[in-house]
Amino acid sequence: MQVVITAVGPDNVGLADPIVHYVTGAGANIHEIQMFDHDAEKQFSMHLRIEWPGVPSSVAQLRSAMDQIGTLKSLAIRVWSRDEHARLPRLAICTTYRPEPALAILRAIRDGRLKAEAAVMLGNREACRGVAEQFEVPFVNIGNAKGEPDDSQFVRVLDDADVDYVLLARYMRVLPPNVCWQFAGRIINLHHGLLPPFPGFHPYEDAYARRMLTFGATVHFIVPELDAGNQIIHQSTFTVPPGTPLADIKRQGETDHEPQCLLEGVRRVVDREVELHFQRVIRRKAE
């Protein structure tokens, strides 16, 4: 049974040792271990992917042991496994203004095309609350009057909802690195442009300025360094005739193309076709 452990906290000596010693002492096989020491922020981050020898119920035991280590070492430690619970994966859908990506996910869940459960919707604006209410999904606004998110509340909401995957469905805020590390390999972002050539907040405008006729969207796993080269889950494109106004291009992309791109990317993850290993998307072997 594959289990992922993440640890984030103030940098110090001897932070990784008790975690590694516990899991290896329990008979776990380590598939992947990454540790980062961020000197400027004085922050330690660790990502550990293991083969846990116990039954699913024993993951709670492992989590309890990691909580004790976290308290001792002042680390935020998370233990997660897709196989811990015999239920559909739980999604957190994060939004800002545009409702279409969230609608695509919620409709696919309702119609049985996406085998998942919408555990919570959250946003740094109120714009998508009505969408959540329409599908009877709890909505939490984590933004202030200017739309600036409370990242600590963001994490609390995800923990309280016991989510498996976090969908940034046109959530127009950059997650801080410590949040990315805490949910490493579980954050899926919809970027409204083709990566890597058109990053940033204005990919439609940038592609239009370069006289492109093909536009697209990218679904990728989030990693703290914001390198979406090896983390791409799915990309799709659409082509317009020469002379098409930018407003028409954006309308087609935002209302139809982006939501379907996100849906296919999320489906690949939910159906366990792909996973993130060593910050690279790999095709998962059939069991």
Side-chain angles (χ1 to χ4, degrees), residues 63-95:
R63 185 174 294 109
S64 176
M66 292 298 107
D67 286 343
Q68 293 178 37
I69 293 173
T71 300
L72 181 66
K73 296 293 186 177
S74 299
L75 293 173
I77 302 181
R78 277 175 177 72
V79 176
W80 173 75
S81 173
R82 267 288 299 267
D83 302 313
E84 181 179 3
H85 305 290
R87 55 161 167 77
L88 294 174
R90 292 169 61 81
L91 310 180
I93 306 173
C94 309
T95 64

Side-chain angles (χ1 to χ4, degrees), residues 14-284:
L15 297 180
D17 291 349
I19 299 173
V20 173
H21 288 165
Y22 182 89
V23 299
T24 54
N29 182 35
I30 295 178
H31 291 311
E32 174 182 354
I33 182 169
Q34 296 187 75
M35 288 178 284
F36 295 85
D37 178 3
H38 306 280
D39 292 334
E41 297 87 1
K42 296 183 179 179
Q43 177 180 289
F44 168 84
S45 304
M46 179 180 182
H47 178 261
L48 188 67
R49 183 169 54 86
I50 64 174
E51 189 67 27
W52 182 244
V55 297
S57 60
S58 69
V59 176
Q61 228 175 339
L62 172 62
R63 185 174 294 109
S64 176
M66 292 298 107
D67 286 343
Q68 293 178 37
I69 293 173
T71 300
L72 181 66
K73 296 293 186 177
S74 299
L75 293 173
I77 302 181
R78 277 175 177 72
V79 176
W80 173 75
S81 173
R82 267 288 299 267
D83 302 313
E84 181 179 3
H85 305 290
R87 55 161 167 77
L88 294 174
R90 292 169 61 81
L91 310 180
I93 306 173
C94 309
T95 64
T96 296
Y97 289 115
R98 301 214 62 90
E100 296 93 344
L103 274 168
I105 297 296
L106 292 170
R107 286 169 177 163
I109 291 174
R110 179 197 62 193
D111 298 341
R113 291 179 288 119
L114 185 64
K115 298 177 180 65
E117 176 187 356
V120 67
M121 278 184 63
L122 56 125
N124 61 312
R125 299 283 186 179
E126 283 284 309
C128 295
R129 181 180 289 275
V131 174
E133 292 174 349
Q134 177 186 346
F135 288 85
E136 299 182 339
V137 177
F139 182 88
V140 181
N141 186 343
I142 60 164
N144 62 17
K146 296 181 179 179
E148 297 166 344
D150 182 334
D151 293 317
S152 296
Q153 185 185 11
F154 184 96
V155 171
R156 288 196 300 272
V157 171
L158 300 183
D159 285 340
D160 290 345
D162 191 22
V163 303
D164 293 296
Y165 298 105
V166 182
L167 313 186
L168 305 184
R170 275 297 213 121
Y171 178 72
M172 304 305 287
R173 291 286 178 170
V174 176
L175 295 183
N178 64 8
V179 174
C180 296
W181 278 120
Q182 290 181 69
F183 297 92
R186 299 163 58 190
I187 307 176
I188 302 166
N189 182 54
L190 167 65
H191 177 69
H192 50 302
L194 290 175
L195 293 174
F198 298 108
F201 284 96
H202 304 288
Y204 286 111
E205 289 81 356
D206 295 341
Y208 187 80
R210 290 173 58 176
R211 300 184 180 181
M212 299 293 292
L213 297 179
T214 298
F215 297 80
T218 305
V219 179
H220 63 96
F221 285 112
I222 286 285
V223 296
E225 288 74 20
L226 294 176
D227 171 19
N230 295 321
Q231 298 83 42
I232 292 174
I233 301 165
H234 177 62
Q235 285 183 309
S236 57
T237 63
F238 65 97
T239 301
V240 300
T244 303
L246 177 60
D248 292 349
I249 295 169
K250 293 182 69 173
R251 188 179 304 112
Q252 181 178 347
E254 292 171 344
T255 61
D256 180 50
H257 183 259
E258 290 178 31
Q260 295 309 309
C261 183
L262 174 63
L263 177 57
E264 172 58 18
V266 173
R267 186 204 62 77
R268 291 183 179 189
V269 175
V270 164
D271 288 353
R272 307 187 79 171
E273 292 181 4
V274 299
E275 290 180 344
L276 190 68
H277 292 181
F278 292 100
Q279 298 196 16
R280 292 177 180 268
V281 171
I282 60 100
R283 183 171 181 173
R284 191 172 186 270

